[in-house]
Amino acid sequence: MTMIKLEVPCSKSFHGISPDPNPDWNLDSLISELNALEIKLKDSAPTNLKKTKPLEFSNAKYNYTMSEGFVMRVLDDEMEHIDDNDEGGYDQSLMTGRRFSCPDLDLSDIEDSEDELDHETIETHLMEKTGLEEGILFELEHECQLRVKEEIRNRFSALEEDLANENERSYSALIQVEKYMDAKREMDRRLDKQYQRKIAEALDNHLSAVQRDHEQISLIEERRIRNDAAFEEARRKEIALHEEKMRQEKAKEEAEARLKAVKVAEEAQKAALEAKRKGVKEAAEREATETTKVVAMGVTQNGVIQCKEDTNGQLKGSGSHAPSVVQSAVSTVKAAESALRAEREILGRYKQLAEINRGFSSNKGFLSYERQIGRKLRQISGGQDNIRARASDLVKIINDPHCPQSMSIAMFAKQVVSLCEDSNVDTTSVAFARGRFIAHVTSQVPTAMDIVLAEFHKACIYTVPKHINYSESAFKSEEAYYKAVGYQEGGGKIEPTDSYLERVRSYMTLYAAIVQTEIPGIRNLHGLKEAWAWLARFLNALPANLYTAVALLSFLKISGYTLLQKYKSQFRKILNVISGEFLFSLKALGDPKLNKVIAEIETYFDTEQFLQEPEGLRPQSYLLSKHY
């Protein structure tokens, strides 16, 4: 018997699934299956096949096991009738195998007439030609193909179902992830809002605490000022009581002296010559006594009238009208008592320095030092490094042993005040730079600050602050009054008011730049505390007019921003007084010359310039570091 190798006419693997569940068949297995198929097909076979003796497959002669599987080749044309009987789900690609190999079968007649015969004739011919083996093999092959198709179809359906379930699970998981992300974002948003709210509350609490601290400091400062004022008032009263006591004692002594003089006169009458000589002596004594009671009026260098007192508290002078002149002169000066006291102290130090320098004034070799000081002042720029370098150079010049320090300080103070004659001081950046420069120098040479202030007070009375009203009884002429308040004379004429006001603006601009200067590590000897005191003294004592309005506006433009940052609500109260009472008093004067300065003050408050940092307030090095 010839060995037949059958091969399934389909792909050996489809998506990893083998069409033959047991590819390693042996002959015994095939024979057993063929016998079983023959029994099953007896009833379904044609009539002529039923009469045929069934074939008996035995493996008695073949007791070996085939190592290779059966190879079955079926023609494409032979499978057409199988496709007709199939359910329509058979894959044509599975039937593109090679021809069914069977050497004992002669299919030449079937191949020649395959277009003419129908399916039943071919089947009958094959059965008659080849016998039952071919039919069994054919049925076995068909059943195997159906089983493989069904298994593939089941596997594919299971895979599709798994894929659908997996997609559904992925979609559900994606929805859960999106929900979790939305919940996470919402939680982050709530936490961020809560954190921002906490930061805002903490910042508000901090600012409130800082404001309370500033208010407490302001209250303490006001209380200190009031205490100082009360102490000065008590001290003044004590001095007045002491002076009154001294006058009473002196009057008592004078009365006793007069009694003694009377006794001497009575005794002198005993002799004519003796009486005449004693009478002349008594007349001389009475004249000397009366001379000590007469008031003399003196005029200072800038025309301000002052009363001089002797050691016993009596006013010295000559003339019968001296007391009335003192009264009228006092009424012309408008200033706070503390301001006048501070001015007297500063001018006293200035006079002491002038007395020291009086012996050196004839030396012309000091002029080169004065030129060097003026050159350093004119070389100042807005840079912090430039200011420090120029200040260091100037301190070296002041401490030069070849020139007395008192002379260098006096020259420095005069050069500082002379800067106000320069029109460039009107620019705020230049004023701030010079203010920082003066603070650097005076922090190393403290005496220089008093002399600079004295020069300011001599050049501009509003830096004290004080104002002098015109009075015919106090001044011989209007020119004398103008000279007293600071007008300059040129060519035998007094300068116009506009020129004088421009100089007042320059003086007040530089003065305000000095008092508002605050430098880390540098102590300003005339700092913001003095700026606050200047404002209080100004508003308490000075009247509202053209001169005081120009001085006040120039001061506020430079130091208003810094004062607001320092004193906050307390400074706003002062601003309310200026925008209310002071401005109302200016308008009540009805002077057309005041329209311009009134408009400038209103613009200052309407645009809230005190909230805007002036140009040049910070050194350039600080600005560059901030922007970087």
Side-chain angles (χ1 to χ4, degrees):
M1 183 177 179
T2 304
M3 186 184 304
I4 300 173
K5 185 177 182 179
L6 300 179
E7 182 178 356
V8 180
C10 62
S11 300
K12 294 182 179 181
S13 177
F14 182 77
H15 293 287
I17 301 173
S18 176
D20 190 355
N22 189 11
D24 296 331
W25 288 352
N26 53 22
L27 183 59
D28 295 335
S29 300
L30 179 59
I31 292 172
S32 299
E33 289 183 9
L34 290 177
N35 292 330
L37 288 175
E38 182 181 12
I39 296 171
K40 292 179 181 180
L41 295 175
K42 282 182 179 180
D43 297 334
S44 60
T47 306
N48 55 355
L49 290 176
K50 294 180 179 180
K51 297 178 180 181
T52 306
K53 184 179 180 180
L55 296 176
E56 293 292 334
F57 295 94
S58 176
N59 56 357
K61 297 181 180 181
Y62 306 97
N63 53 2
Y64 63 90
T65 303
M66 297 179 64
S67 62
E68 294 181 357
F70 293 98
V71 178
M72 181 167 50
R73 295 179 175 87
V74 181
L75 295 175
D76 294 340
D77 297 336
E78 293 172 353
M79 294 301 297
E80 289 181 358
H81 68 280
I82 299 175
D83 292 338
D84 295 337
N85 295 329
D86 199 358
E87 295 178 358
Y90 190 82
D91 190 357
Q92 293 295 333
S93 63
L94 300 177
M95 296 182 293
T96 58
R98 288 169 290 182
R99 291 183 179 274
F100 185 81
S101 177
C102 186
D104 296 337
L105 296 178
D106 186 9
L107 302 178
S108 61
D109 295 336
I110 296 175
E111 291 177 357
D112 294 337
S113 61
E114 61 182 355
D115 294 335
E116 298 177 353
L117 297 177
D118 56 3
H119 178 70
E120 293 179 359
T121 306
I122 294 173
E123 184 179 6
T124 303
H125 178 74
L126 289 174
M127 294 298 291
E128 292 176 354
K129 181 71 176 178
T130 59
L132 185 59
E133 294 90 348
E134 181 67 20
I136 292 172
L137 290 175
F138 179 80
E139 291 297 331
L140 183 61
E141 178 185 3
H142 181 63
E143 185 177 356
C144 181
Q145 289 177 356
L146 292 178
R147 189 166 55 252
V148 170
K149 285 181 182 182
E150 184 65 24
E151 185 176 358
I152 292 173
R153 190 180 297 109
N154 293 337
R155 292 284 185 92
F156 187 78
S157 299
L159 290 175
E160 286 183 344
E161 185 177 357
D162 293 340
L163 181 60
N165 294 336
E166 185 66 24
N167 290 337
E168 185 176 357
R169 286 193 300 272
S170 300
Y171 180 74
S172 300
L174 182 61
I175 292 176
Q176 293 295 329
V177 170
E178 289 179 354
K179 289 182 179 179
Y180 174 77
M181 292 300 294
D182 292 339
K184 184 69 175 176
R185 283 192 292 269
E186 181 66 20
M187 181 63 68
D188 292 341
R189 186 182 63 82
R190 292 180 180 177
L191 292 176
D192 185 67
K193 184 181 294 184
Q194 185 178 3
Y195 180 72
Q196 291 178 355
R197 188 183 299 111
K198 290 182 178 179
I199 292 177
E201 291 176 356
L203 180 61
D204 184 69
N205 294 335
H206 174 70
L207 294 178
S208 300
V210 171
Q211 184 177 3
R212 286 195 301 270
D213 293 341
H214 283 300
E215 290 177 355
Q216 291 177 359
I217 293 172
S218 300
L219 292 175
I220 294 172
E221 184 67 20
E222 290 178 356
R223 191 181 300 111
R224 187 187 65 80
I225 293 173
R226 288 196 298 270
N227 293 337
D228 292 344
F231 176 79
E232 291 296 333
E233 182 67 19
R235 183 172 175 273
R236 185 184 63 81
K237 291 181 179 180
E238 184 180 357
I239 293 174
L241 291 175
H242 179 70
E243 292 175 351
E244 182 66 23
K245 184 177 180 180
M246 294 296 294
R247 283 194 294 269
Q248 291 177 0
E249 292 177 355
K250 187 175 182 180
K252 185 178 180 180
E253 292 175 357
E254 290 175 352
E256 293 176 354
R258 283 195 297 269
L259 291 175
K260 291 180 180 180
V262 170
K263 290 180 180 180
V264 171
E266 291 176 352
E267 293 175 355
Q269 290 177 1
K270 296 179 180 180
L273 183 60
E274 191 72 17
K276 185 177 180 179
R277 215 169 22 214
K278 288 184 179 180
V280 173
K281 185 178 180 180
E282 289 176 358
E285 290 177 356
R286 284 194 299 270
E287 184 178 358
T289 304
E290 292 177 357
T291 301
T292 57
K293 297 180 181 179
V294 178
V295 178
M297 305 304 298
V299 181
T300 61
Q301 295 179 357
N302 59 357
V304 180
I305 298 176
Q306 294 179 339
C307 300
K308 299 181 180 179
E309 298 180 356
D310 60 7
T311 56
N312 296 325
Q314 298 291 339
L315 298 175
K316 298 190 299 182
S318 62
S320 60
H321 299 290
S324 63
V325 175
V326 172
Q327 183 179 1
S328 62
V330 172
S331 64
T332 59
V333 178
K334 301 293 184 182
E337 183 180 353
S338 59
L340 295 177
R341 183 171 57 255
E343 181 190 20
R344 285 195 298 269
E345 293 176 358
I346 290 174
L347 292 178
R349 299 188 187 97
Y350 178 82
K351 290 178 181 179
Q352 292 176 2
L353 189 73
E355 289 293 335
I356 297 174
N357 293 336
R358 188 170 298 175
F360 307 111
S361 59
S362 60
N363 192 341
K364 297 182 179 180
F366 300 147
L367 295 178
S368 60
Y369 289 93
E370 186 174 4
R371 286 193 294 270
Q372 292 180 24
I373 293 173
R375 190 181 305 113
K376 295 299 179 183
L377 288 171
R378 288 189 294 272
Q379 291 175 352
I380 299 171
S381 64
Q384 182 71 7
D385 295 336
N386 176 273
I387 293 173
R388 289 177 179 173
R390 297 293 177 268
S392 178
D393 295 342
L394 186 57
V395 171
K396 291 180 181 178
I397 295 174
I398 293 176
N399 295 329
D400 192 340
H402 297 89
C403 179
Q405 190 182 56
S406 58
M407 287 293 297
S408 300
I409 292 174
M411 290 185 291
F412 168 71
K414 289 181 180 179
Q415 289 292 331
V416 167
V417 176
S418 66
L419 292 175
C420 299
E421 305 295 335
D422 187 3
S423 59
N424 290 332
V425 78
D426 292 337
T427 59
T428 58
S429 59
V430 174
F432 286 127
R434 290 174 176 174
R436 287 190 292 272
F437 176 82
I438 294 169
H440 272 285
V441 174
T442 55
S443 66
Q444 301 178 57
V445 187
T447 307
M449 178 59 78
D450 291 335
I451 308 306
V452 169
L453 293 176
E455 291 289 349
F456 268 114
H457 296 342
K458 290 173 58 181
C460 180
I461 61 176
Y462 299 104
T463 58
V464 175
K466 70 179 180 181
H467 177 71
I468 301 175
N469 292 327
Y470 175 72
S471 175
E472 294 181 357
S473 59
F475 301 98
K476 298 178 180 180
S477 63
E478 292 185 0
E479 292 183 358
Y481 168 73
Y482 288 139
K483 291 180 181 179
V485 298
Y487 276 76
Q488 292 182 355
E489 183 179 5
K493 295 182 179 180
I494 299 297
E495 66 176 329
T497 301
D498 292 341
S499 176
Y500 171 71
L501 292 177
E502 286 299 324
R503 287 193 301 105
V504 170
R505 286 191 181 94
S506 298
Y507 289 128
M508 294 306 304
T509 297
L510 184 54
Y511 177 76
I514 294 173
V515 297
Q516 67 83 45
T517 297
E518 289 186 332
I519 305 173
I522 300 297
R523 179 174 175 262
N524 188 353
L525 301 178
H526 199 72
L528 272 178
K529 182 175 67 173
E530 299 298 331
W532 180 269
W534 186 94
L535 271 177
R537 294 164 180 170
F538 184 96
L539 296 175
N540 287 334
L542 271 62
N545 55 38
L546 178 61
Y547 305 106
T548 57
V550 170
L552 179 60
L553 180 60
S554 301
F555 186 86
L556 288 177
K557 284 183 177 180
I558 297 299
S559 61
Y561 175 81
T562 307
L563 286 171
L564 180 62
Q565 300 302 313
K566 178 70 174 179
Y567 296 103
K568 298 187 182 300
S569 60
Q570 300 300 322
F571 180 68
R572 284 186 177 274
K573 294 178 182 179
I574 288 184
L575 292 177
N576 293 335
V577 173
I578 296 173
S579 62
E581 298 178 6
F582 187 84
L583 195 58
F584 178 78
S585 300
L586 282 179
K587 294 179 180 179
L589 296 176
D591 188 356
K593 296 180 181 179
L594 291 170
N595 293 338
K596 182 178 179 181
V597 67
I598 289 175
E600 291 180 357
I601 294 175
E602 290 178 342
T603 302
Y604 178 82
F605 284 99
D606 292 342
T607 58
E608 295 184 341
Q609 295 181 19
F610 49 85
L611 297 177
Q612 305 171 11
E613 181 177 312
E615 180 183 359
L617 176 62
R618 301 177 186 272
Q620 291 181 1
S621 60
Y622 292 166
L623 289 174
L624 291 176
S625 300
K626 179 180 178 181
H627 291 314
Y628 176 76

